[in-house]
Amino acid sequence: MAARFDVLDGIEDEMMYLEHANHCGNNRIGVIVERGDPFEDLGDRKFEERFRLSKETVWWLVDQMNDRLEFPTNRNNPVSPMNRVLATLRSYATGAFNIVIGDTANIHRTTVQRITSEVSEIIASFFPRFIVFPARADLQNVMDGFHQIDGFPGVIGTIDCTHIRIQSPGGDNAEHFRNRKGYFSLNCQTISDHNLLIRDIVARWAGSVHDRTIFRNCARRAQFENGEIPHGYLLGDGGYACKPYLLTPLLNPLPPAEQRYNRAHIKTRNTVERQYGIWKRRFPILSVGLRCGLQKAMTVITATAILHNIARSTSNEEPPEDPQMVRLLEELRGLRGPDIDDDDEPVPQGELMQRNDAVPGRAFRQAIINQHFQ
């Protein structure tokens, strides 16, 4: 099947360029397509603005994927591995239609669609290498990193959810994906570390599902419950039930120790909010919205999370901003309203029974306050 797609890619591209040649009065057969070389044509800053990764990182990424992208022959003028990766990154960087990406890269729009699907799947397959929850040997380093923010002890991650806009998935369950702001989305849960790396991601739940439900059904919670993660805890917002392994802020802190706890909690948990900001700013497709099937949307979200970690691991600099994209995102935010904050979302009836389960968590939280924030 892959070989068939390779041939189709070349045939469609060749037809497009022959049509272009005929339009220009050139009826010769065997037109060679010039797709340009952004590495030569663009400086470092402009390259990163357009593809959201540095030249060095893109070269490294292509090297990791080359064996799975390279064609056995040059028959039918196939798109090179480098241009396939660049077309995919351009799609992530703009959220534009395939025809727009194809016009800028001299690739047929149907070929762009297949390229982005294939490259996204390959990048997503790197999940075990680049999205790794802190192992026992790494836990202390993560705790120390969080402690340096504002003195909060024992933190191994900060957790939250964010909505990624998608097109209607269709079918009988389509409305399940409509969130309370009225648009279709996937509610994506991530756990961040102090360096704003994504240490865990769950990107399969519909937009109508509450954050608490996602966490209750995720594998990471089961590991905490089973004692597979014996040390440390997560910090979450008030939308979660307080647990010994997931601490939430106090609703009405009165004593100075409680106020210090809340202040340190907010400053430390802000890492996951900053992680979302950088992730979405690096790959605006996550803010503009994914115009593809549901499964591919999940794959793209995972792929961009992996690329975010790769970028953060190679540089602590935040991605450069494209002024036009900034204006577009501001207009979209104006149309949609502020981002969803599940702190104020009504708790589903089925979740109310979990309030009693929070008693051990509140006792543990009070012990932390008494020991470290007095």
Side-chain angles (χ1 to χ4, degrees), residues 113-333:
Q113 182 177 359
R114 278 198 293 273
I115 285 174
T116 54
S117 295
E118 179 183 359
V119 174
S120 296
E121 288 176 4
I122 295 175
I123 297 173
S125 70
F126 295 159
F127 187 100
R129 291 174 55 188
F130 296 104
I131 298 184
V132 182
F133 198 76
R136 296 194 181 204
D138 193 32
L139 282 179
Q140 192 59 52
N141 291 333
V142 176
M143 290 181 187
D144 291 343
F146 276 117
H147 188 268
Q148 291 175 9
I149 296 175
D150 200 29
F152 210 113
V155 179
I156 59 175
T158 52
I159 186 171
D160 203 359
C161 290
T162 188
H163 286 260
I164 307 295
R165 189 183 185 100
I166 60 172
Q167 67 181 11
S168 172
D172 296 335
N173 296 321
E175 286 302 312
H176 191 51
F177 289 84
R178 191 186 298 276
N179 61 42
R180 64 191 181 93
K181 288 294 185 180
Y183 62 87
F184 295 100
S185 69
L186 286 167
N187 195 7
C188 179
Q189 173 187 282
T190 66
I191 297 175
S192 175
D193 72 5
H194 59 291
N195 288 322
L196 311 188
L197 293 174
I198 297 173
R199 293 296 197 139
D200 190 67
I201 183 169
V202 179
R204 61 185 178 85
W205 289 85
S208 64
V209 179
H210 196 280
D211 295 4
R212 190 185 293 105
T213 303
I214 298 174
F215 179 70
R216 193 177 77 246
N217 290 278
C218 76
R220 205 61 62 195
R221 184 204 64 85
Q223 289 182 317
F224 278 107
E225 293 278 1
N226 297 333
E228 296 177 42
I229 306 175
H231 305 294
Y233 39 81
L234 306 174
L235 298 185
D237 62 28
Y240 295 97
C242 189
K243 302 280 188 177
Y245 51 81
L246 199 168
L247 299 182
T248 59
L250 293 157
L251 184 61
N252 295 304
L254 295 177
E258 292 184 354
Q259 294 177 11
R260 283 192 288 269
Y261 166 88
N262 260 29
R263 183 174 60 250
H265 188 288
I266 292 170
K267 288 185 66 175
T268 307
R269 197 187 67 82
N270 184 250
T271 51
V272 71
E273 303 294 348
R274 291 169 56 206
Q275 170 240 295
Y276 283 138
I278 292 175
W279 182 29
K280 291 185 176 183
R281 187 159 63 251
R282 185 176 297 279
F283 301 111
I285 191 173
L286 301 174
S287 297
V288 173
L290 297 164
R291 289 184 291 266
C292 57
L294 189 59
Q295 190 59 50
K296 182 182 175 184
M298 298 177 188
T299 302
V300 169
I301 292 171
T302 303
T304 56
I306 291 168
L307 294 177
H308 165 86
N309 279 3
I310 292 173
R312 291 293 301 175
S313 299
T314 55
S315 172
N316 287 325
E317 294 184 6
E318 297 189 6
E321 293 186 345
D322 184 337
Q324 293 183 345
M325 185 58 65
V326 171
R327 287 195 295 272
L328 172 61
L329 295 179
E330 288 177 348
E331 291 174 1
L332 289 174
R333 276 193 288 270

Side-chain angles (χ1 to χ4, degrees), residues 49-99:
E49 284 179 353
R50 285 158 176 78
F51 300 104
R52 317 310 290 164
L53 298 174
S54 68
K55 291 182 179 180
E56 293 78 9
T57 302
V58 173
W59 272 116
W60 178 88
L61 183 64
V62 173
D63 184 64
Q64 299 295 307
M65 305 169 61
N66 193 66
D67 292 343
R68 300 170 66 178
L69 289 175
E70 193 170 23
F71 296 125
T73 70
N74 288 326
R75 186 179 180 182
N76 294 322
N77 189 36
V79 184
S80 68
M82 176 60 75
N83 283 327
R84 292 160 79 86
V85 171
L86 290 177
T88 303
L89 293 177
R90 190 63 180 149
S91 176
Y92 295 167
T94 62
F97 290 102
N98 291 329
I99 192 170

